Amino acid sequence: MKRLGITVSGIVQGVGFRPFVYNLAHRYNLSGWVLNNSSGVEMEVEGYQAGLDGFVLALRQEVPPLAVIGEISLTSRPVMKDSQFVIRYSVSGAAKAALVSPDVAICPDCRQELGNGTDRRYQYPFINCTNCGPRYSIIQDVPYDRANTTMAGFIMCEACQQEYDKPTDRRFHAQPNACPVCGPAYHLLDRQGNVLCGDVVTETRRLVSEGKIVAVKGIGGYHLACDACNERAVQVLRQRKIREDKPFAVMAGSLETVRMLCELSPAEEQLLTGPARPIVLLNKKQTGQLASGVAPGNPQLGVMLPYAPVHWLLLTGQDIWVMTSGNTSDEPIAYDDADAFERLAAIADYFLVHNRPIANRADDSVVRVFQNESYMLRRSRGYVPSPLELHWNLPPVLAMGGELKNTFCLTRGKQAFLGPHIGDLENMATFAYYKQAINHFKQLFAVEPQLVAYDLHPEYLSTKYAQQLSLPTVGIQHHHAHVAAVMAEYGLNEPVIGVAFDGTGYGTDGNLWGGEFLVADLEGFSRLGHCQYIPLPGGAKAITEPWRMAAWMLQELYGKQTAELGIACTEQLPVNWQLAMQAAAKGLNSPFTSSVGRLFDTAAALIGLRQTIHYEGQAAIELELAAAGISGELLPYHLSSGTPAILDFTPAFAAMVQSLRHGASSGYLAACFHLTLADAAVSMVRYISQQTAIRKIVFSGGVFQNTTLLSQIFRMLEKDPFLLYVHRHVPANDGGLALGQAVIAGKKLGCC
Ligand code: ZN
Ligand code: ZN
Ligand code: FE
């Protein structure tokens, strides 16, 4: 007889790990115990050598679906001669350092029960088990026990309690366990709050099929739902939501329906059907099935599959519904019932609500596939609050993130807890949510930060808030943080060449950077190359009005002859455009920028694609879409050597204007622009590598959401002796910024 002490770290709480251990112990005839402790699961097992060997092997190999094992450590213990194997209760407060699981899409077992007429949870929209269901969205405090969740108010009936108490049951200690007798329920209301009679699912389906807009309370907040094939319903939703042309995501009733709508690679299918169930950006097929207003003029479509039981009840196989977050533009997603009613009453015709409060809102996550692997665009529901595993031990740091697409980050040892997608902080409600979410994370993961990292931009609300926290602070340059975020994902700690392309980030010289080639490690960076500074005529206005960048370029190139060029762009310019340019020439409200995002704007406006935008990055996105499937030719540009080396695209824009005058198509020129930008980035990387002998190249910044550009750069660098790194688990946009800030700040405290 022998006895082993075993500890397992990772995501092992709230995922059915103790019953799994219990069953294994029985299979191998072992006695002993298992419990949740502060770092995961701890156990002692006793029996014959063969049984112990079998147990340890199975422990590693047969992990429950939602568990993610960090480390398993074994020590030998004195034999105790226990008579049986028991699950011990965790000591209260001991789970402080444990991990909270993200929300998980309904599992196959629960789906089967949901559709089984003889099951006591037949068509019950809150069905869940240890392998699935809400987690992060219902947790108020740790340890993850029912009393600390928004299920606390529902007392389990006898049948539910029996499942909850029985170690071999799939619902053993499933904290949200519930049934129609004892659990939450859905109600369907009209705008005035009157309860509608009849079966809520049947009625909701009827309303949607009649073209109505229904606000549906789900896991992490409210969705606005309507029939995605009903042109009128989609238009009404756009008008009421005040969203001109930003694409809506859809939910499809089955994988077969997704296949009819879109091209689907094995990697994309895996993402769609995985437990996180994000929105996956896919290439549309030409079917004409969807209303054109869902994603106007867009060859791509954001698609997700049902993830909450209620979605499975609402959508049958062929259904396609718009499922857009329940908010008006720029506000955070509604999750509180009273608030939802107030804010969504002008948008939704009906409300499908339930009485299980949402403790933490979680927007749908958005991913796309780049080179057969997941490439994150928005990390929230299904991923948050799983930590990102770091390669270094960090002291507790709070990183504030940026201003747009904000997320924050807290570190604890080798773990980085990246917060949920918060949104654009300029909005008051969003900013309040930001402050509240930071505090909740501090409490949930028991982190008391020693240092606060913020962006150097003095006007960011995240920066101002950092300074109010009465903690030591450190300012981190925006693009250094972008590059460090990639380094954190791969554990890189040596100097790399960081290519950081985005819309705007505050530079150390007070200019707006965004086309940067940095030689960086976690301690610092030198700016060895960047795009030529050009003025941003009108400042922030130029970001929403791309014509300003194009007008500046035309003025530079052609002066007074601009009006006679006879290209569409000049005809689309507002009458007083020259006044704006004169002001810019005098330096009035015209900061200098090296931003690649603004080069995209210049190109999109010059080509005549877009003069004014309605959402962030719209011109760049449309330029990428215009180039889809078209091969362009290389345009001239200029790389001037020196430190920093400068890339000047003025010759490329001149060539574009000439081609336009000879009738070149916008798609062709969009393709030329991509190719030229890729070629220029590659030339600069090679130039800097020659000087520094650095061969690790890192790509980050919002521009690299553009996988057309990224693919071209990768292809061009194929034969170079470089190692290329891109984001996988955090977004390349400012949603990943906080991770980079955190690791740089952690390094400054000297504890890597
Ligand atoms: Zn389940
Ligand atoms: Zn019950
Ligand atoms: Fe950025």
Side-chain angles (χ1 to χ4, degrees), residues 353-374:
V353 303
H354 64 69
N355 56 343
R356 182 179 73 200
I358 296 172
N360 306 297
R361 65 190 109 192
D363 286 77
D364 293 318
S365 296
V366 186
V367 299
R368 76 192 300 179
V369 166
F370 173 67
Q371 298 195 327
N372 286 319
E373 277 179 67
S374 146

Side-chain angles (χ1 to χ4, degrees), residues 55 120-121 150 237 245 282 331 335 350 393 409 435 465 499 502 511 527 604 656 660 662 689 693 698:
F55 177 87
R120 69 189 192 89
R121 292 191 181 83
T150 57
L237 179 57
D245 36 23
L282 300 172
E331 286 191 336
Y335 75 112
Y350 295 91
N393 250 311
C409 184
K435 293 191 272 192
Y465 184 51
V499 184
D502 66 0
N511 292 323
R527 191 189 194 199
M656 283 168 84
L660 278 171
H662 292 106
S689 176
V698 154

Side-chain angles (χ1 to χ4, degrees), residues 523-540:
E523 269 148 42
F525 69 92
S526 352
R527 191 189 194 199
L528 290 200
H530 64 84
C531 294
Q532 170 94 311
Y533 279 131
I534 41 177
L536 197 58

Side-chain angles (χ1 to χ4, degrees), residues 501-522:
F501 286 179
D502 66 0
T504 308
Y506 198 79
T508 49
D509 57 1
N511 292 323
L512 300 174
W513 295 7
E516 309 309 310
F517 298 84
L518 311 179
V519 165
D521 58 20
L522 295 180

